[in-house]
Amino acid sequence: MNTKILICDDSALARKQMARALPTGLVDSVLFAQDGEEALAVLRKGEAELLFLDLNMPGPDGYQVLERIRKEDLPVLTIVVSGDIQPEARERVRKLGAIDFIKKPTSTELVADLLQEYGFFRPEELSALAATSPSFSKPSHTPEISVSLTEYLQETANVAMGRSSDLLARLLRVFVKQPVPKVAFIASSELHMAIFSAEAGNTFSAVCQGFTGSGLAGEALLLFDDASFEEMAELLHYEGVEGDAIDVEVLMDMSSILFGAFLNGVSDQLDIKLGLSHPTVLGQHRPINELLEHHSSREEQLLCLEICYTIENRDIRCDMLVLFTEDSVPFLEKRLEYLVD
């Protein structure tokens, strides 16, 4: 029993977690790919027969990799491992040929059950081999993977974003596109520069909500593109009603959906409880730099997560910034050390 396994994920933490979730004794070694092109190159050489594939990656994403595998008729079975848990995402990867879907982060028990179901893992054979060969029960040999704080937070944000997108998708019956989250240290006074995707001249409305707990503190900001209000009001069944009061209702509804699911997703992964303040409207129909000007006089460096939500086939987009204070960084570094040990 020695299946040739390839794990493709742009996140070093996710590759490490997936490799650790493989049952002991299943394989002697595991191959890794950091993006879709690298994975396809390995598959074309016939070096893998089972692929664990992420969906949200720079370059060819998981959907495009599945399309290429099908088009080139590459001999591999694929299990998607993703934080994007929307029902539509699961259905799409099935149609593109994936044999199954695993939600991030996963566990050895779940992976073992799935591999047993598809015939890659037979515990009784491993037990017999382990009894005759003590070295057989040693963990698989895998290349050493180092994980930076930025990579750790990017993967944490990716999983939390998957939860918030799933909630939004189920409530509104839409498909939410999920780009890779951005992570950066940025000065408070330069916060408006974090919104890379904002187009010049666009105006936004914003709401914020503070959070604190177990060594973490900060705030989440939701910046909603004003051009999106009409379609968003329609999806939320505010048809035929216009004006700033309805815009505020839309803004608060969106922040309630996205803030709660995202911050709960973060706190669950960090195994902490976050207390949340009441959401507050920062302003309406203004350029981003004006909405964020309350940060301009502060000198503090912030650890910033940027997540952009867009709804497929709709002219709707909003950006969420999750800002951690400088004082939160030591706690996050300690959690990272615990995870990678």
Side-chain angles (χ1 to χ4, degrees), residues 77 245 280:
L77 296 177
T280 302

Side-chain angles (χ1 to χ4, degrees), residues 195 197-207 222-233 247 250-251 254 284-286 288 291 308-310 315-320:
I195 309 296
S197 54
E199 295 179 12
N202 280 18
T203 56
F204 288 74
S205 299
V207 61
L222 185 70
L223 297 132
F224 199 83
D225 192 323
D226 286 344
S228 306
F229 271 117
E230 186 174 345
E231 283 201 59
M232 198 66 224
D247 290 351
V250 169
L251 198 57
M254 285 291 288
Q284 289 181 264
H285 319 311
R286 296 160 60 185
I288 279 181
L291 289 168
C308 179
Y309 296 92
T310 58
D315 186 19
I316 297 174
R317 57 154 287 186
C318 60
D319 291 89
M320 187 162 72

Side-chain angles (χ1 to χ4, degrees), residues 10-13 146-156:
D10 63 308
S11 164
L13 177 61
S146 61
V147 182
S148 68
L149 180 61
T150 298
E151 290 172 316
Y152 166 50
L153 287 174
Q154 189 173 57
E155 181 60 13
T156 301

